[in-house]
Amino acid sequence: IRGQRTPLDNPNAKVIRPYVFWVDPRGSEDLDLSVTFVGKGVDKSSGLVSYRPDVLSYSNLRVGKSCHSGDVRHRQGNCAEYIDIDMEDAISRGYEYAVIDVRNFNGGGLKQIQTSFGIMEREFPQSNNTWLPETITSCRSLESMSSNTLIGIIDLVTKEYIMLDID
């Protein structure tokens, strides 16, 4: 349900991995997953508080210890992008929320290309070629007809996610 808060399943999770999955039969799609960190950002070198958000995306692969998997463009077959959010590091930087969005740079709605979104709760960040379905705690089809969609929000402090799926 849009707007519903759902607690994370794994109390030991240190890394939250939101991901977007789609099947591209012709190799013609270009979806981009990103996260915008919101809160009082603290510059570790100067100690100054900044109220501007930080965006983690294909064009900015790192924010602190959090990282993006990299851009997937026009690849035929099964496709996915993910972002590993190091919750402790994000909170230490003053962030309270991670706003997740996906954009289809070729236009067209996410529902039309059968896009799914999910969250994996991980105790350790680990990038590899093996998909670990046992760490998926939720997966939903995206219903938005827009090419730009706010998928959800992760409340880093309360350890809940809020499903949006809105234009």
Side-chain angles (χ1 to χ4, degrees):
I1 298 172
R2 287 180 178 157
Q4 178 179 349
R5 285 180 168 262
T6 304
L8 300 178
D9 289 332
N10 182 352
N12 297 320
K14 293 174 181 50
V15 175
I16 301 301
R17 176 178 282 180
Y19 67 89
V20 64
F21 170 83
W22 69 99
V23 178
D24 188 346
R26 295 177 302 283
S28 60
E29 300 297 340
D30 182 11
L31 298 187
D32 289 315
L33 181 68
S34 65
V35 163
T36 302
F37 290 103
V38 180
K40 297 176 188 172
V42 178
D43 182 310
K44 291 210 179 228
S45 61
S46 68
L48 297 175
V49 175
S50 167
Y51 291 95
R52 70 170 180 78
D54 273 323
V55 178
L56 182 54
S57 69
Y58 72 94
S59 63
N60 184 37
L61 297 175
R62 285 204 169 273
V63 171
K65 293 182 181 177
S66 298
C67 63
H68 191 287
S69 63
D71 197 15
V72 174
R73 296 185 68 235
H74 307 120
R75 181 181 301 160
Q76 192 170 10
N78 293 336
C79 302
E81 288 188 14
Y82 65 85
I83 294 176
D84 281 348
I85 299 170
D86 184 311
M87 290 192 297
E88 185 177 304
D89 180 68
I91 289 170
S92 77
R93 293 171 178 278
Y95 299 117
E96 298 173 40
Y97 302 99
V99 181
I100 307 159
D101 71 272
V102 65
R103 299 163 197 265
N104 182 349
F105 278 93
N106 289 5
L110 299 174
K111 185 175 184 174
Q112 295 167 325
I113 57 171
Q114 299 178 347
T115 309
S116 298
F117 163 75
I119 291 181
M120 301 171 88
E121 299 173 16
R122 305 173 69 102
E123 293 183 30
F124 305 99
Q126 183 178 357
S127 178
N128 57 38
N129 293 328
T130 305
W131 192 256
L132 301 172
E134 65 272 11
T135 63
I136 295 174
T137 58
S138 69
C139 184
R140 294 177 170 82
S141 295
L142 295 175
E143 300 295 320
S144 174
M145 294 305 290
S146 173
S147 60
N148 297 320
T149 301
L150 290 173
I151 299 176
I153 301 170
I154 297 174
D155 186 324
L156 300 167
V157 177
T158 65
K159 296 187 176 185
E160 299 172 306
Y161 69 92
I162 305 160
M163 188 65 185
L164 296 176
D165 192 15
I166 57 175
D167 303 348

